[in-house]
Amino acid sequence: MKQRRLLYGFSALLLTILFLTGGLFSLKAEAEELMHLVDDADLVAEQEESRINQTLAELSEEHDMDVVIFTEENGSIPSAMEAADDFFDYSGYGKGPDYSGVLLYVNMETRDVWISTRGDGITAFNDDGIDYILDEITPMLGSGDFVEAFDEYTEICEDFIIRAENGTPYGTNGSGEGYTGKNRFPAFRNLFISLLIAILVGGSYAWMLTREMNSVAPNNSAGNYIVPGSMHVQNSGEMFLFRNVTKVKRQSESGGSSGGHSSTHRSSSGARHGGGGRKF
Amino acid sequence: MSEIQEYKCPCCGGAIEFDSSLQKLKCPYCDTEFEIDALAQYEKDVSKDEDSNMEWDISSMQTWTEDDEQGMKVYICRSCGGEIMADENTAASLCPFCDSPVVMKGSIKGALKPDCIIPFKLDKKAAMAGFAQHLKKKALLPKVFKTENHIEEIKGIYVPYWLFDTKADAHMRYKGTRVRYWSDSRYNYTETSHFAITRDGDISFAHVPADGSSKMPDELMESIEPFDFQDAVPFESAYFAGYFADKYDVDEKQSIIRVNERVRNATAQNFMNTIQGYHSVIPDGGNINLSEGKTCYAMYPVWILHTRWNGQLYTFAMNGQTGKFVGNLPIDKGLLWKYFGIASGIAFVAVYLLMALAWLL
């Protein structure tokens, strides 16, 4: 009997410890989730760090997508992509069942900047969008304006997330799948486009019908009266004059229903990530 | 003095006509058929007899010189004796009193004699059928036009043409572009290379036609082209029997301006067609020297129809050799808007639905 009591008591104690420990773990996780700016490289003053952190946290809560910044003085993982993906996955970031979020990784030793996306973040931040952010912030990082770069990053992230919520992620024509199902069918815009195409089609058809009513026209060529086989080309010349190259920024890989293209890969945790980066 | 020729049937004396389906002369009264050559010979023999009578005709026409000056001429029909007034350029016509075909010999004599003629291959029935066919499948044609239009006149006319043969030695210049596309992760690139291209060579043209009658609208006559010169035969006035004909009143020097333009365009186009491997090629000038130029005077067969509808005259023309039928038709503006509306409506619904479908998927 005594032994049985002892067993119950021990079990109860174990359960209590497990419960408490679990609670502590979850508290720790919650505490970590709140840190949206993890400035291990100490690039930002404490006051600024707290302000940016708060802005990022509010942004993440409001749009159901974690927006994170992580800086390192030197990293043990050689690849910026892996470092960013792993930090995102193993620190418990990501909202919703898809673990949606976007993370900006800055490594001061290797001078790498990388943006890692997951879940709906992959849709909202497609390749063009990531390129755009990097275009904007890389020069700032390069010149040491970290606060400015992080503020810019936060601002663009908010803009891109709102665009994705409206069904038109950056660089897409609006026919994309959008983000978290919140996007609406852009009825007025599609109405306008349909009307424009309809007028063009109707006009072309009317022009074609009018053309077949008028069969009298000058015949400006004597091509019907060429003596068969009489044409001889004696000399042919070709001279290169000049060359010009124009470049247009890639907007989107249009067509289909996916909108802007996002290249993805698997991280060490097996999760699907989007992303892109460069040196600053 | 004005002199006419009629072709009389050697059998019954009736006025005979050219039958386009038989390609022979045929008497509509006794159905006797004649070869052109045989009848031409017969007429020559007969005309020898008539030479002595010519003086009499001349004296009787003296009083009409005033009309000659005004561009009109008077002829006496040999079938019924009626006076025929005609334009000075008229070469063949029908007597308004007895409907006999007459040929004005003065308009086809000497330098005015055509070198060759393409005889009518298609008759009046074919012209009527061509007109009916021309009205088919015309969505914008007013519904009442088919029933309410009145064919005022349908005439088989031999139209005078100048035919030009020439060899064009050309040095042509063109501008061409080649385009290359590629892209990296951020930009799409388009590289356009520009080239100056030249082509030297020669090309020959045969029987390029230019309408020699100022009465015939040039656009209308160019629209019924081409004529196939293989059917042309040496001119015999007997081919005129039963048709109308004019002698030229636009000479070859005036016609050559238009012919040069058409030869230049055709030369530029044909040398341009030899340029391959470019995304775009446009003519950039050059020069053409013509040599071995030769002209001849020909008569080509054309059916002309005039119809009147809503107080407006519509002219149609059919190539009397190939049957090509042309002529502008009236447009019902209500129908035009209706078809515009239908096409636009269908396109609108289709595009909108496609966009909605794309969004759903």
Side-chain angles (χ1 to χ4, degrees):
Chain A
M1 276 303 268
K2 197 179 175 182
Q3 276 180 337
R4 189 171 286 178
R5 271 187 199 159
L6 202 66
L7 190 68
Y8 283 143
F10 184 72
S11 301
L13 186 70
L14 203 69
L15 279 172
T16 312
I17 290 168
L18 274 175
F19 179 74
L20 282 174
T21 325
L24 279 174
F25 278 143
S26 70
L27 273 174
K28 184 174 182 287
E30 267 179 35
E32 273 188 2
E33 268 174 17
L34 290 173
M35 294 298 288
H36 283 79
L37 168 61
V38 182
D39 187 18
D40 286 357
D42 215 9
L43 304 176
V44 181
E46 210 166 304
Q47 204 179 343
E48 287 292 345
E49 187 180 333
S50 134
R51 178 185 65 79
I52 294 170
N53 203 17
Q54 196 182 339
T55 313
L56 291 173
E58 281 170 9
L59 182 63
S60 305
E61 276 308 309
E62 193 180 336
H63 295 286
D64 231 12
M65 182 179 295
D66 269 331
V67 182
V68 187
I69 299 171
F70 173 46
T71 71
E72 270 192 317
E73 187 57 49
N74 45 44
S76 53
I77 303 169
S79 144
M81 180 182 87
E82 287 171 85
D85 292 348
D86 287 355
F87 185 75
F88 189 95
D89 293 344
Y90 296 118
S91 306
Y93 289 111
K95 299 271 191 196
D98 295 333
Y99 297 95
S100 300
V102 53
L103 180 138
L104 173 70
Y105 172 72
V106 177
N107 187 314
M108 293 308 289
E109 187 187 40
T110 58
R111 311 292 287 178
D112 271 316
V113 53
W114 186 271
I115 290 171
S116 172
T117 58
R118 191 174 167 184
D120 287 335
I122 297 173
T123 316
F125 298 85
N126 52 42
D127 292 351
D128 294 332
I130 289 170
D131 267 343
Y132 177 78
I133 298 174
L134 292 172
D135 280 347
E136 293 296 310
I137 65 166
T138 308
M140 296 175 192
L141 294 173
S143 56
D145 300 324
F146 297 106
V147 176
E148 202 184 333
F150 296 160
D151 282 342
E152 183 70 20
Y153 164 75
T154 313
E155 206 174 296
I156 299 172
C157 282
E158 184 171 18
D159 178 36
F160 281 11
I161 294 167
I162 291 169
R163 282 190 197 211
E165 283 173 348
N166 291 333
T168 53
Y170 174 81
T172 68
N173 55 13
S175 60
E177 65 195 39
Y179 151 61
T180 63
K182 291 178 191 172
N183 61 325
R184 287 176 290 112
F185 180 64
F188 276 111
R189 205 197 56 181
N190 288 358
L191 215 65
F192 180 72
I193 293 170
S194 306
L195 205 67
L196 212 68
I197 294 172
I199 289 169
L200 277 174
V201 170
S204 307
Y205 185 60
W207 179 76
M208 206 182 75
L209 291 178
T210 311
R211 255 193 71 179
E212 68 183 25
M213 301 299 283
N214 299 319
S215 49
V216 176
N219 183 348
N220 291 323
S221 170
N224 287 318
Y225 305 98
I226 293 169
V227 178
S230 71
M231 194 172 102
H232 306 106
V233 179
Q234 277 129 15
N235 282 311
S236 300
E238 174 192 299
M239 189 173 66
F240 171 74
L241 295 176
F242 63 95
R243 171 180 293 140
N244 52 32
V245 179
T246 55
K247 62 176 187 177
V248 178
K249 201 165 169 58
R250 293 178 72 170
Q251 285 301 309
S252 64
E253 311 239 334
S254 60
S257 58
S258 60
H261 179 256
S262 299
S263 357
T264 59
H265 55 268
R266 294 272 171 199
S267 68
S268 64
S269 72
R272 197 165 74 97
H273 278 267
R278 55 182 80 150
K279 298 275 183 190
F280 64 89
Chain B
M1 182 200 78
S2 302
E3 184 189 347
I4 64 170
Q5 177 166 5
E6 281 175 45
Y7 289 91
K8 294 283 185 190
C9 174
C11 297
C12 67
I16 55 178
E17 296 174 1
F18 181 76
D19 188 313
S20 58
S21 55
L22 296 170
Q23 294 291 300
K24 283 178 182 175
L25 288 156
K26 186 178 178 183
C27 175
Y29 305 101
C30 67
D31 283 345
T32 315
E33 295 168 12
F34 304 95
E35 291 294 340
I36 297 279
D37 293 342
L39 201 89
Q41 190 56 47
Y42 174 76
E43 286 296 329
K44 263 184 204 164
D45 294 343
V46 173
S47 67
K48 278 177 193 164
D49 299 342
E50 289 186 354
D51 276 350
S52 54
N53 293 332
M54 296 291 282
E55 298 301 322
W56 187 85
D57 279 346
I58 294 164
S59 58
S60 68
M61 295 298 161
Q62 291 295 327
T63 51
W64 293 97
T65 48
E66 256 181 57
D67 290 319
D68 280 0
E69 283 167 16
Q70 288 167 9
M72 297 299 287
K73 284 192 174 180
V74 173
Y75 306 87
I76 303 289
C77 173
R78 290 201 181 144
S79 288
C80 66
E83 290 180 349
I84 307 166
M85 274 191 90
D87 187 299
E88 62 176 348
N89 294 322
T90 304
S93 186
L94 295 174
C95 170
F97 306 105
C98 67
D99 220 24
S100 297
V102 291
V103 176
M104 286 64 177
K105 286 175 90 176
S107 296
I108 50 169
K109 255 174 148 179
L112 297 174
K113 187 186 174 192
D115 299 308
C116 55
I117 182 168
I118 296 179
F120 271 93
K121 299 275 176 202
L122 299 162
D123 59 12
K124 192 183 264 189
K125 271 188 197 165
M128 294 295 287
F131 179 60
Q133 189 65 32
H134 188 61
L135 302 185
K136 278 186 186 165
K137 291 182 182 170
K138 298 288 189 295
L140 301 183
L141 189 70
K143 296 280 179 252
V144 290
F145 181 80
K146 278 183 198 171
T147 49
E148 286 183 2
N149 84 85
H150 303 291
I151 297 180
E152 290 202 335
E153 194 179 27
I154 173 159
K155 285 200 293 191
I157 302 177
Y158 278 106
V159 177
Y161 272 92
W162 291 106
L163 307 183
F164 295 83
D165 290 7
T166 189
K167 181 182 168 196
D169 290 298
H171 169 74
M172 305 305 296
R173 288 186 292 110
Y174 303 89
K175 273 185 181 166
T177 59
R178 283 195 190 125
V179 184
R180 198 162 66 91
Y181 304 97
W182 75 94
S183 48
D184 57 22
S185 59
R186 302 176 67 198
Y187 292 101
N188 293 322
Y189 298 87
T190 309
E191 179 194 83
T192 311
S193 304
H194 297 256
F195 296 85
I197 305 157
T198 54
R199 287 287 183 273
D200 295 343
D202 58 80
I203 186 167
S204 298
F205 293 83
H207 313 119
V208 183
D211 155 31
S213 168
S214 60
K215 276 190 234 165
M216 294 291 170
D218 290 348
E219 279 193 1
L220 194 68
M221 292 300 103
E222 285 181 11
S223 301
I224 57 169
E225 286 183 26
F227 288 95
D228 185 357
F229 192 76
Q230 284 188 345
D231 287 336
V233 293
F235 177 77
E236 283 294 343
S237 57
Y239 286 110
F240 279 177
Y243 298 102
F244 292 82
D246 281 348
K247 74 176 175 69
Y248 71 85
D249 60 348
V250 178
D251 65 21
E252 68 259 60
K253 279 183 187 155
Q254 287 170 277
S255 305
I256 215 158
I257 300 164
R258 177 65 178 152
V259 170
N260 278 350
E261 193 183 341
R262 295 181 68 187
V263 165
R264 190 169 51 243
N265 291 339
T267 306
Q269 184 60 48
N270 276 273
F271 279 98
M272 192 160 94
N273 291 346
T274 67
I275 302 169
Q276 304 290 333
Y278 291 86
H279 279 81
S280 73
V281 179
I282 51 164
D284 188 34
N287 58 63
I288 296 171
N289 295 314
L290 299 180
S291 59
E292 300 171 21
K294 211 170 70 183
T295 59
C296 80
Y297 178 35
M299 288 286 171
Y300 279 177
V302 178
W303 284 100
I304 296 284
L305 282 87
H306 292 293
T307 74
R308 193 169 284 280
W309 183 71
N310 269 2
Q312 207 179 328
L313 190 71
Y314 293 89
T315 303
F316 302 91
M318 188 177 91
N319 185 319
Q321 180 192 25
T322 64
K324 185 177 180 187
F325 201 103
V326 299
N328 293 343
L329 291 164
I331 289 172
D332 185 329
K333 284 192 177 149
L335 283 173
L336 183 67
W337 280 110
K338 185 180 140 189
Y339 284 110
F340 171 77
I342 290 172
S344 304
I346 292 171
F348 177 78
V349 173
V351 172
Y352 196 79
L353 282 179
L354 274 175
M355 287 170 99
L357 204 68
W359 177 80
L360 280 174
L361 296 175

